[in-house]
Amino acid sequence: MKQFVTPGSSAWAAQLREDTGADAMPFVPAVVTRGDTVWLSGATAYPLVHQHPDEEAGQTVPDGIAEQTRTCLENLLIALRAAGGDVQDIVKVTIFNTDMDAQSEVNRVYAEFFGEHKPARSHIGVNRLVSPELKIEIEAIAVIG
């Protein structure tokens, strides 16, 4: 059984613009399977829910990879909480990074976010993400409970 977590949750209210709803997204931010596994879509520094295709004029992201990393992780947590989980439920993280020379900045923010919790992780260097100003995208898998 699959439960698609859509932007109808009050946890996402701050992320939604008046003109952007679930129908604007070509994917869902999270899917829950078998009641306890949450598959979190890749999050960037864009708002978690936004118009697709991206309206570049309306999308601004921080310049630095540290702040983009923080925003990605916060966006993942919004989706995970909407699915009923929390940060300690994350078991696997995949990071897609356009600037592997900045790994130490990414790792610093990552360590602040996760604290003592250390999920399995892959950190992959990529040439480009969906928009050139995006430096990082993070996806995760969580098991609630």
Side-chain angles (χ1 to χ4, degrees), residues 46-116:
Y46 281 156
L48 182 61
V49 177
H50 56 277
Q51 185 70 40
H52 281 262
D54 298 319
E55 298 170 354
E56 291 186 23
Q59 303 292 339
T60 59
V61 297
D63 288 332
I65 198 164
E67 189 56 39
Q68 284 196 25
T69 300
R70 187 171 293 106
T71 303
C72 289
L73 292 167
E74 290 168 355
N75 282 340
L76 282 177
L77 189 55
I78 290 167
L80 180 56
R81 285 183 174 155
D86 213 331
V87 69
Q88 75 277 359
D89 297 316
I90 296 174
V91 297
K92 174 70 167 86
V93 175
T94 304
I95 299 172
F96 302 95
N97 184 347
T98 63
D99 184 3
M100 293 303 282
D101 291 336
Q103 279 189 69
S104 60
E105 291 179 68
V106 172
N107 288 337
R108 179 181 52 78
V109 173
Y110 184 91
E112 290 170 6
F113 180 82
F114 282 102
E116 295 298 313

Side-chain angles (χ1 to χ4, degrees), residues 18-33:
E18 284 184 25
D19 62 341
T20 305
D23 58 342
M25 302 286 288
F27 60 90
V28 295
V31 176
V32 181
T33 59

